[in-house]
Each structure stands twice: as C-alpha cells, then as structure tokens.
Amino acid sequence: MIGFLKELADFITKNTGLPVEIEPSPASPPDAHVRIIPKGLSYQSYGNTPNDLTKQGLVQLAVELHLVAEGTGEVFLKMVYEASLKLNRLFDGYHAITLGTENSIGFSVAVDKISEGEFFVNREEGKFPYMFMEKWKGTITWRMSYALE
C-alpha cells in the first residue's frame, strides 16, 4: 500500500514539478506542495464460488490530496496560482489514472476536487502570515487475491 502512495506521489511530482509528502510527516515546507493523506481502506470480494481455491476482490484506499503553501506577497500569489493550475490541469484530463505496479499489482487512481483553493490567515507562531489550501479526494484501487485456508 505504501508503494501505491509513493507511486502516486512520483506521478504528481513528475507531471507538475510539485513536491509531495505522504502524511503523517514530521514537518512541511512553506513552498507549494501536495500532501497525500490516507483516509480509509475498504475491500469488496468478487468472483468467488464454492469451488474457488482463491478469494479475489478489489481493495480501495480513500485519500485526500491537499495543495498547501505558506507565504505573503506577489511571489506567494504567483507560486500558488501556478501550483494550482498545474494540479488542476493534471487531474482534469483523467477519469482514472492507471499507474505502475507494486509487486506486479497494477492500480488506478481517481481524483476529484473537493473545494476551490482558499487563503487563510496563519496564526501559528514562526510561520508565514498567510496559508493557501486546495483539497482533492481520491481513491486508489487495486485487485487482491489470496488462497483460502
């Protein structure tokens, strides 16, 4: 599962140039970056009959992607605008993205925007005065099979 998250992170970085962190992470940079936050796991079996020797199904990992940046001024606004545009253009063209494999298991990712980006006053001490956040939700899906005991 971690391999799927890392491949999604690599896909985003390769296509947008934005750094990606997989949560939970100890610290976040102020520059525009994407955070991948795992939310929940579900499993749905299929194609099993009494004579099957294996159980098969689809595993889905719900994730949120947050485009986050901290800063102030024109450089901050330009950075946020460019990062948001790159991410929107990346996910706008796909219904689902099929990515590489982890241990020869292919997987797909479907991503939709939850909310438009927003600027917030950052009240944390030692941080930049403003924060930007844009939220996306996604589902990573892969097939799984295992022998029945």
Side-chain angles (χ1 to χ4, degrees):
M1 181 174 78
I2 295 301
F4 298 141
L5 295 172
K6 287 181 180 178
E7 286 193 46
L8 175 58
D10 291 344
F11 174 79
I12 293 169
T13 298
K14 178 182 173 189
N15 288 284
T16 66
L18 296 169
V20 178
E21 294 185 6
I22 299 170
E23 296 292 337
S25 64
S28 296
D31 291 339
H33 65 282
V34 176
R35 294 180 187 161
I36 299 175
I37 306 162
K39 290 296 194 177
L41 197 63
S42 64
Y43 175 80
Q44 179 182 5
S45 65
Y46 66 88
N48 301 315
T49 66
N51 297 326
D52 283 343
L53 298 178
T54 60
K55 189 169 186 166
Q56 299 179 347
L58 290 177
V59 180
Q60 292 187 317
L61 174 64
V63 296
E64 281 191 12
L65 306 176
H66 294 179
L67 173 60
V68 180
E70 295 175 26
T72 187
E74 292 177 27
V75 173
F76 174 59
L77 289 174
K78 182 179 181 199
M79 174 181 57
V80 165
Y81 169 77
E82 289 174 352
S84 179
L85 186 60
K86 287 176 183 178
L87 207 54
N88 277 277
R89 286 178 33 204
L90 176 64
F91 292 127
D92 184 48
Y94 295 100
H95 173 67
I97 303 162
T98 301
L99 294 175
T101 62
E102 179 185 81
N103 301 325
S104 301
I105 300 171
F107 66 100
S108 66
V109 181
V111 178
D112 294 305
K113 188 182 274 192
I114 297 173
S115 65
E116 298 298 326
E118 281 188 68
F119 289 94
F120 301 93
V121 173
N122 196 350
R123 300 193 192 288
E124 285 188 55
E125 200 170 308
K127 299 282 186 168
F128 284 96
Y130 292 97
M131 182 176 201
F132 174 84
M133 184 179 293
E134 183 174 273
K135 294 182 180 181
W136 300 74
K137 66 178 178 176
T139 305
I140 299 173
T141 304
W142 68 95
R143 287 189 201 137
M144 187 172 119
S145 63
Y146 57 93
L148 297 175
E149 294 182 20

